[in-house]
Amino acid sequence: MSTLTSPSRIADLLKQWNITEDHSGVSTGKQWMKGEGDRLVSKSPVDDVEIGTVRGASRAEYDKAVSKARSAFLEWRTWPAPKRGEVVRQFGEELRKHKADLGKLVSYEMGKSYQEGLGEVQEMIDICDFAVGLSRQLHGLTMHSERPEHRMYEQWHSIGPVGIITAFNFPVAVWAWNTALAWVCGDVAIWKPSEKVPFCSLACQAIITEVLERNNAPEGVSVIVNGGREVGEWLAKDERIPMVSATGSTRMGKAVGAAVGQRLGRSLLELGGNNAIIISDKADLDIAMHASLFGAVGTAGQRCTSTRRLIIHDTVFPVFTQKLVSAYGQLRIGDPLDENKHVGPLIDKDAVDMYLKALDDAKKQGGKILVEGGVVTGKEFQSGCYVKPAIVEVTPDMPIVQQETFAPILYVMRYSGDVTAAIAIQNNVKQGLSSSLMTTDMREMERFLSVTGSDCGIANVNIGTSGAEIGGAFGGEKETGGGRESGSDAWKAYMRRQTNTINYGTTVPLAQGIKFDL
C-alpha cells in the first residue's frame, strides 16, 4: 500500500482541518451541528479502508441551516460585490496552500488519480480567480427609450440562497464552480454533497469557514448539509430556496427539475453525457488516439464528459483501432495516488456491477470485444473496485449505444461518406453534453460547428470531449439538462434581472403612443 494512501496518512490530512473520523456533516460556518440524521460511511475504493463516518442532517437541523442561510443573505447581498470578491480571492489563496493535501483526499476518497485530484483543486482556484474579476463586472445594458426625457437600463440583483447538489465524480470542483459565482453575485450557498464522498466536503467547509470568519462575514454564507437522497429532495421542494443547481444523473435531474418547477423555482441542471469523438479520414491519427485514450479512461470513465463513443471513418477504422488497442495494452491500473498508474478504481461495487452488466449487454447485442474487460484481482486490488478499460466494436443501432455507463467502456463504430453522416450518428442519442471532431479539413470543422452540426453544449475540434476550462460556460442540451455553469455569462443564472425606466422630464408620456388624457 502506498504511504500516501495509508489510513494514518489520511487521518493526518483530516486533522489539519479539525475533522475527526466521526464528524458532523452539517455546518452553517461558525458551528457544526450534531448531525442527527443518517450516518454516512465513507470507504475508499482504493483499498476498501473506512475513512470514517459523517453524521447527516435531520429535518430540524436542515431547517435551522436554511434559516441561518436566509438571514445571512440579507446582510451578504448588501456587501459591495468587489468586497465579496475579496473574500473569494482569499479562499483561492487558501486553496493554493491546501492544494496538495486536498488533492490527495479527493484522490483517496473518490478514486481518481492524484494528478486529476490536483487538477480538480486547480479548477477551484481558477474559478475563484474568475469570480474575483467578475465581481467588478456584474453589468447590465442601457437602452434608448422611445419616450422623450426617459432613460432605460437593466441591472442584476442577488437572488437568495442557492442550493447546490453535487455528484461523487467531482467532489469539490463543481461545488466551487457554483459557489464562487453565487458568492460574488451576492447569494449564499447551501451544499448537499454526494453521500459517497462526504469527507471532501468537510475539508472544503473547514477551509472556507476560516476565510469567512476572518472577514466577519455573516454565519450562513456557506452552509453544508450532508445526508442521503432525502436532503436533496428537501432542497428541491423548499420554497425558501429560489434556485437549485444539481449535477448528476439524468434520472436525478428530472426529479429535481420537476420538484423545483412545481414551485416555480429556478433549476440549473448538468446531467448525463454520452459523448462521442468523430474521427475523420482526414484526422491526425496520433492526436486522435491520445485524445480518445484520456477521454475514455481518465477518472476510470467516471466523468460526465468521458468519451463513450468513437465514430470512425471506415477507411481509417482498422489502423486507428489497432493504434488504440496497442495503447490500451500499455495502461497501468492501480493505486491512484501512485503517479505511475493511469487508471484507478470505480467509486464502489455497485458501479462495478453496472460496468459488468453493460459489457454483458453489449456482447448479447452483437458487440465485438476488441479489448477485454473484467474485474482486476490481486492483493493490490482488494477493494474489488478496479476494472479493466474495455473497447467494444458496435453498430450505431445497438441499444447499448444509447446508454451512459459510468465506467471505462468505449464503443467504437464505423461511418462512411462525408462528415454529415458521422454527425447524424453522434447526435442520435438523448444526451447532448460534449462532442469532438478530429480532422485537418477546415470545411469539416466548420460543418461540425455549424447550426446543422453537433447538437451538444460543448463542441471541440482536435481535442477530446473532457477537460473543459472554467472560462467557458459548461453544460449541455437535451437530457443533459440545458444548464450552464462556470465561465462566460453563466453568472446570470445566479441573479435576477431588473429593467428600470427613469423619467427625468415634466410630463408622463405613455409607451406605444397611447393617449390617456383627462
Side-chain angles (χ1 to χ4, degrees):
M1 182 185 296
S2 165
T3 56
L4 283 174
T5 59
S6 67
S8 62
R9 175 65 178 128
I10 296 302
D12 289 341
L13 289 181
L14 298 177
K15 284 178 183 176
Q16 69 176 299
W17 299 305
N18 295 316
I19 298 171
T20 63
E21 293 180 2
D22 180 28
H23 201 284
S24 170
V26 192
S27 170
T28 55
K30 292 181 180 179
Q31 62 174 321
W32 293 89
M33 298 183 191
K34 289 182 179 180
E36 297 171 340
D38 294 339
R39 286 180 181 266
L40 309 175
V41 179
S42 178
K43 268 191 176 182
S44 172
V46 175
D47 51 19
D48 205 35
V49 171
E50 185 176 308
I51 298 172
T53 60
V54 172
R55 287 171 270 132
S58 65
R59 181 61 201 241
E61 289 175 320
Y62 165 83
D63 285 332
K64 182 178 179 182
V66 173
S67 294
K68 186 65 71 172
R70 283 173 56 83
S71 295
F73 168 68
L74 298 179
E75 178 183 341
W76 182 248
R77 67 180 177 177
T78 67
W79 286 32
K83 185 178 178 180
R84 299 191 296 256
E86 169 59 17
V87 174
V88 174
R89 185 195 68 79
Q90 293 176 31
F91 181 44
E93 290 302 308
E94 289 300 315
L95 289 171
R96 286 177 170 87
K97 296 175 187 176
H98 291 277
K99 179 178 176 178
D101 287 342
L102 188 53
K104 289 168 189 171
L105 179 59
V106 167
S107 179
Y108 186 62
E109 189 172 29
M110 184 268 153
K112 63 175 59 176
S113 74
Y114 179 48
Q115 280 298 312
E116 292 184 80
L118 292 175
E120 184 167 348
V121 182
Q122 186 61 49
E123 281 193 64
M124 301 175 76
I125 295 167
D126 292 344
I127 197 64
C128 285
D129 288 350
F130 179 90
V132 172
L134 178 64
S135 70
R136 294 180 181 271
Q137 300 179 67
L138 299 173
H139 57 274
L141 300 174
T142 60
M143 290 77 73
H144 287 276
S145 174
E146 67 182 67
R147 290 167 284 186
E149 298 184 310
H150 282 60
R151 182 166 70 87
M152 293 179 63
Y153 69 98
E154 68 178 22
Q155 59 182 335
W156 295 82
H157 291 306
S158 311
I159 193 172
V162 173
I164 303 168
I165 301 171
T166 58
F168 75 87
N169 59 332
F170 278 84
V172 295
V174 173
W175 167 72
W177 286 1
N178 285 274
T179 303
L181 296 192
W183 282 336
V184 298
C185 289
D187 303 326
V188 299
I190 303 171
W191 183 17
K192 191 280 179 196
S194 167
E195 54 267 41
K196 296 183 180 183
V197 284
F199 280 92
C200 289
S201 68
L202 303 189
C204 291
Q205 182 71 351
I207 295 169
I208 187 56
T209 294
E210 181 182 337
V211 175
L212 292 170
E213 289 185 349
R214 183 194 311 154
N215 287 272
N216 295 315
E219 181 183 358
V221 168
S222 180
V223 169
I224 179 173
V225 188
N226 270 284
R229 177 178 176 177
E230 71 281 355
V231 176
E233 292 174 346
W234 297 341
L235 277 172
K237 296 176 181 178
D238 197 331
E239 294 183 354
R240 297 170 294 179
I241 301 174
M243 173 185 170
V244 176
S245 173
T247 303
S249 69
T250 297
R251 180 175 57 84
M252 179 277 291
K254 286 181 176 180
V256 170
V260 176
Q262 182 67 30
R263 59 181 176 85
L264 298 182
R266 186 185 302 183
S267 59
L268 189 163
L269 303 176
E270 198 281 286
L271 311 174
N274 191 351
N275 315 295
I277 298 178
I278 297 170
I279 299 172
S280 163
D281 57 333
K282 303 174 186 67
D284 181 319
L285 296 187
D286 287 332
I287 288 177
M289 190 275 289
H290 284 96
S292 302
L293 184 65
F294 178 75
V297 306
T299 324
Q302 296 174 112
R303 291 180 174 225
C304 51
T305 54
S306 288
T307 305
R308 311 289 176 199
R309 300 174 291 147
L310 294 186
I311 304 165
I312 309 168
H313 197 278
D314 55 8
T315 61
V316 297
F317 187 92
V319 64
F320 183 77
T321 53
Q322 184 178 7
K323 276 177 168 288
L324 198 59
V325 169
S326 176
Y328 266 57
Q330 300 173 56
L331 292 172
R332 294 185 292 274
I333 304 169
D335 182 346
L337 280 137
D338 179 349
E339 295 189 69
N340 290 314
K341 307 298 184 186
H342 299 108
V343 183
L346 295 180
I347 186 63
D348 55 27
K349 292 178 182 177
D350 287 342
V352 174
D353 290 342
M354 287 189 287
Y355 158 86
L356 292 172
K357 184 180 184 305
L359 282 177
D360 187 54
D361 288 346
K363 292 176 186 177
K364 289 177 179 177
Q365 293 169 23
K368 177 183 176 183
I369 303 298
L370 302 185
V371 175
E372 191 72 42
V375 179
V376 185
T377 58
K379 186 178 180 181
E380 184 183 351
F381 311 106
Q382 60 189 359
S383 69
C385 296
Y386 293 85
V387 301
K388 299 174 185 176
I391 302 177
V392 187
E393 183 179 351
V394 299
T395 57
D397 59 345
M398 290 183 183
I400 195 66
V401 174
Q402 295 290 327
Q403 176 181 318
E404 180 194 28
T405 303
F406 240 49
I409 302 174
L410 181 63
Y411 301 112
V412 297
M413 60 201 79
R414 303 169 187 253
Y415 80 96
S416 57
D418 66 18
V419 75
T420 57
I423 293 170
I425 294 170
Q426 177 209 278
N427 291 349
N428 189 32
V429 293
K430 294 181 179 180
Q431 307 86 353
L433 179 52
S434 187
S435 58
S436 181
L437 168 68
M438 297 292 168
T439 186
T440 56
D441 185 285
M442 185 183 71
R443 288 178 176 174
E444 287 191 333
M445 295 180 193
E446 293 297 334
R447 183 161 289 132
F448 178 70
L449 300 175
S450 74
V451 68
T452 59
S454 171
D455 64 0
C456 296
I458 299 169
N460 299 325
V461 175
N462 293 329
I463 64 170
T465 57
S466 61
E469 299 179 28
I470 61 92
F474 182 89
E477 301 303 321
K478 301 189 293 188
E479 287 197 355
T480 301
R484 292 298 185 273
E485 299 171 305
S486 194
S488 185
D489 65 348
W491 61 271
K492 292 179 179 179
Y494 304 87
M495 304 193 83
R496 58 183 177 88
R497 187 197 309 252
Q498 185 180 80
T499 301
N500 309 109
T501 305
I502 299 172
N503 177 4
Y504 57 91
T506 57
T507 61
V508 188
L510 300 176
Q512 294 85 47
I514 294 173
K515 300 295 184 183
F516 195 73
D517 297 328
L518 295 178

